[in-house]
Amino acid sequence: MTDLIFVLNGPNLNLLGTREPEIYGHDTLDDIAAMLDDQAREAGAEIDFRQSNHEGHLIDWLHEAQAEGAKAVLLNAAGYTHTSIALLDAIKAIKVPVFEVHLSDPHAREEFRHLSYVGMGAKAVFAGHGAKSYQLALDVALQV
Ligand code: CA2
């Protein structure tokens, strides 16, 4: 069976490429989806790439990843990374490994970004490399 990787993106990431390129880079979310699609296809895998501005959607999708038998989830929960115990609970509630992804390096930014609830449940964290953070995470996720 083809390996399936869910790639879930949180609030405001739909605006990527339109503002603050010095922090988040010039790639749009569609650019990142296309890169990951190619990378997954070359490895004989498949990605399911989604974005939502709503916390509950991200939680439902984590449950869905488990129900669909996904091999791994790459999760950039954006601002919810630093606030959401509900997302942490969802990560802990599924057996699918979750990899935390960030374009920027939250630890090199404001203090309030240093706390990550997602990180408390994630298998590993990839941050600070722009779109490449997703590619590095996918590379590792495909090997678990
Ligand atoms: O660096 C990341 O990937 C973040 O998850 C991005 C979040 C931020 O709250 C996290 O601390 C780190 C913010 C996403 C906002 O997305 C934007 C996209 C385009 C323009 C402005 C913001």
Side-chain angles (χ1 to χ4, degrees), residues 4-6 8 48-50 56-73 90-91 93-96:
L4 173 64
I5 312 282
F6 272 44
L8 305 181
D48 190 330
F49 194 97
R50 305 178 188 189
H57 288 165
L58 297 169
I59 292 166
D60 288 344
W61 293 343
L62 285 164
H63 299 172
E64 195 181 326
Q66 166 101 350
E68 292 289 318
K71 182 181 170 73
V73 176
I91 292 166
I94 63 173
K95 291 204 179 96
V96 183

Side-chain angles (χ1 to χ4, degrees), residues 11-13 15-16 19-20 24 76 78-79 82 102-104 113:
N12 301 306
L13 287 166
L15 300 176
L16 205 62
R19 269 183 43 212
E20 302 186 89
Y24 299 117
N76 184 351
H82 317 296
H102 298 288
L103 296 150
S104 65
R113 296 185 201 276

Side-chain angles (χ1 to χ4, degrees), residues 40-107:
R41 205 162 328 112
E42 273 170 30
E46 193 188 322
I47 61 161
D48 190 330
F49 194 97
R50 305 178 188 189
Q51 187 275 333
S52 176
N53 294 324
H54 305 278
E55 189 176 12
H57 288 165
L58 297 169
I59 292 166
D60 288 344
W61 293 343
L62 285 164
H63 299 172
E64 195 181 326
Q66 166 101 350
E68 292 289 318
K71 182 181 170 73
V73 176
L74 311 191
L75 175 61
N76 184 351
Y80 289 138
T81 303
H82 317 296
T83 62
S84 181
I85 294 168
L87 263 179
L88 171 60
D89 287 342
I91 292 166
K92 285 181 159 173
I94 63 173
K95 291 204 179 96
V96 183
V98 174
F99 294 86
E100 179 180 1
V101 176
H102 298 288
L103 296 150
S104 65
D105 176 4
H107 287 281

